[in-house]
Amino acid sequence: MEIRYNEKLKKLPPYLFIEIDRKKKEAIKCGADIISLGVGDPDLPTPDHIIKSMQESVTKPANHQYPFGAGLLSYRKAIAEWYKKRFKADLSPDEICALIGSKEGIGHIHLGFINPGDVVLIPEPGYPVYNTGTIFTDGVPYFMPLFEKNSFLPDLDAIPLDILKKAKLIFINYPNNPTAATAPEKFYLKLIEFAKKNNIIVAADAAYSEVYYDENEKPLSFLEIPGAKEVGVEFHSLSKTYNMTGWRIGWVCGNRDVVAGIAKVKDNYDSGVFQAIQEAAVTALTSSQKCVEDARKIYKERRDTLVEGLQKLDWEVNLPKASFYVWAKVPKGYTSSQTVSKLLEEAAIICTPGNGMGKSGEGYVRFALTVNVPRIKEAVERIGKIRW
Ligand SMILES: Cc1ncc(COP(=O)(O)O)c(C=O)c1O
C-alpha cells in the first residue's frame, strides 16, 4: 500500500532541531568529540525539590486519572501569584490555561482562531512552530524580518495594508530566540495600539523571560503593559526556567476569551497535563527561586566565556542581555550554512545556521550556552585554530 501523507505535512520543512540532533548523533557515531551548542535544551538537571515533589505526587491515586480542563486550580493560582511577584500584572485563574509545554499551545492557538486564508504575522528568524500551526490551519504566513538595525524588533509600520486587513494573529517573542534581543516598553505600547487598530490577537512567547543577566534589566512581560489583556495572551514555560524541558509543562495566560479558545481546542485534542507534573510545577513556582538565580549565574559565566572568546578571534558578536543564545555574525565571505559545516567538520562544534530559522537569519549562527565553561573554552580554542 502507498502511504499518502497530508499535503500540509509535506509542506513543512524538516524540523530544524531534529536535523541538528541527527547530525550530532551521526558525528558522535563516527567518533567525533562533539561540542554541541545547537539545540536550546538545558544541560543542567531539574532542581531536587521539584523532583521530590513529583515523586510524592505521582503516588497519589487522584493524580492517576484524566486531568481534563484548564489545569488544577492550585497550579493556576500558583501561576497568578508568581506573575504578581515577578511582573506588574494581575491574573485570575480563569485567565490561565495549563499547557503540555508552551510549544503545544503555540502550535494549537491557530486552531482556535485561524480560518483558511487568514494571515498570521510571524517574526523571522524565529521559533519554527509559529509557522507550523499556520500551515496546519491553511493560514497564510506573513514573515516580519528581524533586523539588527531595528534592534531585532519587527517593523509594524512596514506591514502592507492588504496584509493587515487579513491578519488575525501576530506572534512576538522576547527575550528572542534566536537573536537574544529583549523588547522595550515602547515597543509593547506600539504593538498594543497596532493590535487594537487592526483587530489582531497578540501571542507573546515569553519562554525565556527568566534567563536574563542583569537584575536591573529584567525582561518585561507583555501583560505588564496597559491594554495588553484586551488584545492578547502570553505563553510561558517551566522548561528553560527550571530545566524541565522533558517534563512538558507550561501555560498560556491573558485575555480570557483567547485563553478559552485555546482551552476549547485542548478539550477536544488532549485531556490536559498529568496532574503530578502540575503539582511539581506548583512546587517550582512557589518555592525559593534560588535555583533560578544559580542557573542565571552559570549561564552568565558561559555567555562571557563564549562572547569574549569569539570577540578575541575577531568575530562580530554582542553580549546578549537575556536568553541562553549567542547570535554571532559569521566570518566574512561565508554563509551561515558554510560556517556551520566548517565548524562541524574542522572543530566538531554543532551550532544552528541563522538562515535555518528564517531567511533574515542569513549571515548569523546561533550558539546555545548548554555546555559547561571548560567545554566552551575548548570550543573557542578549536574555533581559533580554523583557517577562515
Ligand atoms: C521561543 C521558544 N518558544 C517556545 C519554546 C517551547 O518550549 P516548551 O514547549 O518546552 O515550553 C521554545 C523551545 O525551544 C522556544 O525556543
Side-chain angles (χ1 to χ4, degrees):
M1 188 180 95
E2 184 205 349
I3 302 296
R4 287 167 297 164
Y5 289 100
N6 181 335
E7 289 305 315
K8 293 170 200 164
L9 205 59
K10 287 194 219 159
K11 267 201 224 166
L12 290 178
Y15 196 73
L16 181 65
F17 299 105
I18 292 177
E19 277 297 290
I20 291 173
D21 196 52
R22 191 186 57 74
K23 275 194 180 158
K24 177 177 112 181
K25 287 187 177 135
E26 213 173 80
I28 290 172
K29 229 180 178 174
C30 299
D33 173 24
I34 289 289
I35 301 178
S36 181
L37 306 169
V39 183
D41 193 348
D43 56 318
L44 306 168
T46 306
D48 278 346
H49 64 287
I50 303 173
I51 295 174
K52 282 203 185 96
S53 165
M54 174 73 178
Q55 282 167 336
E56 274 170 35
S57 289
V58 87
T59 61
K60 294 185 205 160
N63 286 341
H64 300 166
Q65 294 184 294
Y66 287 121
F68 288 131
L72 291 172
L73 185 61
S74 57
Y75 179 45
R76 288 177 291 133
K77 278 186 171 165
I79 291 166
E81 274 168 35
W82 178 87
Y83 235 86
K84 211 176 162 77
K85 267 194 211 153
R86 168 65 178 91
F87 303 114
K88 283 186 233 108
D90 281 317
L91 286 169
S92 69
D94 59 345
E95 293 170 327
I96 301 169
C97 178
L99 296 173
I100 311 168
S102 61
K103 180 179 186 178
E104 182 249 322
I106 290 167
H108 283 154
I109 185 174
H110 309 70
L111 284 168
F113 305 96
I114 298 303
N115 293 311
D118 288 343
V119 168
V120 181
L121 306 174
I122 299 173
E124 70 84 12
Y127 185 53
V129 185
Y130 311 137
N131 187 32
T132 308
T134 309
I135 292 174
F136 280 156
T137 48
D138 284 321
V140 179
Y142 176 84
F143 292 103
M144 306 176 290
L146 304 184
F147 295 128
E148 196 158 354
K149 64 174 186 210
N150 297 334
S151 311
F152 298 114
L153 298 166
D155 181 357
L156 302 175
D157 297 328
I159 304 169
L161 210 64
D162 59 321
I163 295 292
L164 289 178
K165 279 189 187 143
K166 288 189 255 165
K168 267 187 105 175
L169 182 63
I170 180 170
F171 282 97
I172 51 142
N173 166 223
Y174 296 98
N176 184 253
N177 172 15
T179 67
T182 51
E185 186 178 7
K186 209 169 99 186
F187 169 73
Y188 286 121
L189 284 167
K190 184 166 181 154
L191 175 70
I192 291 165
E193 209 182 286
F194 165 89
K196 273 187 195 158
K197 183 171 167 208
N198 297 294
N199 202 17
I200 297 173
I201 297 167
V202 174
D205 175 356
Y208 297 92
S209 71
E210 301 319 294
V211 188
Y212 55 81
Y213 299 106
D214 186 341
E215 283 295 319
N216 299 317
E217 280 190 80
K218 291 185 192 177
L220 292 172
S221 159
F222 157 70
L223 295 176
E224 284 185 274
I225 315 301
K229 236 196 248 179
E230 277 170 56
V231 296
V233 290
E234 188 158 83
F235 290 94
H236 277 267
S237 170
L238 279 85
S239 290
K240 323 284 171 165
T241 310
Y242 302 102
N243 312 320
M244 290 173 72
T245 49
W247 296 55
R248 312 311 303 131
I249 177 94
W251 74 85
V252 60
C253 58
N255 183 282
R256 197 181 298 265
D257 298 328
V258 178
V259 169
I262 297 170
K264 190 164 181 184
V265 171
K266 284 177 60 59
D267 281 344
N268 288 281
Y269 250 8
D270 58 65
S271 302
V273 182
F274 182 23
Q275 285 182 182
I277 296 180
Q278 293 189 55
E279 288 185 357
V282 171
T283 301
L285 293 168
T286 56
S287 305
S288 154
Q289 300 297 294
K290 185 171 177 305
C291 57
V292 188
E293 274 167 40
D294 291 346
R296 278 195 283 267
K297 280 184 199 142
I298 291 171
Y299 288 130
K300 190 171 187 187
E301 198 188 347
R302 293 176 179 183
R303 175 198 72 161
D304 294 347
T305 307
L306 182 62
V307 171
E308 283 162 23
L310 288 174
Q311 283 172 341
K312 275 191 193 136
L313 296 173
D314 285 334
W315 280 58
E316 235 182 279
V317 52
N318 298 323
L319 207 58
K321 284 186 186 160
S323 86
F324 50 54
Y325 299 116
V326 169
W327 187 237
K329 280 228 175 95
V330 297
K332 285 217 164 48
Y334 289 84
T335 63
S336 297
S337 305
Q338 285 165 342
T339 307
V340 168
S341 298
K342 212 166 156 70
L343 287 171
L344 178 60
E345 284 156 23
E346 297 181 31
I349 290 168
I350 302 255
C351 65
T352 305
N355 65 325
M357 298 187 74
K359 70 178 176 23
S360 304
E362 178 54 75
Y364 294 86
V365 288
R366 190 197 76 174
F367 295 104
L369 299 167
T370 45
V371 302
N372 62 30
V373 168
R375 290 296 270 172
I376 291 181
K377 284 187 178 157
E378 160 94 28
V380 170
E381 212 174 293
R382 289 188 198 175
I383 295 172
K385 286 186 186 145
I386 298 176
R387 286 181 74 93
W388 297 94

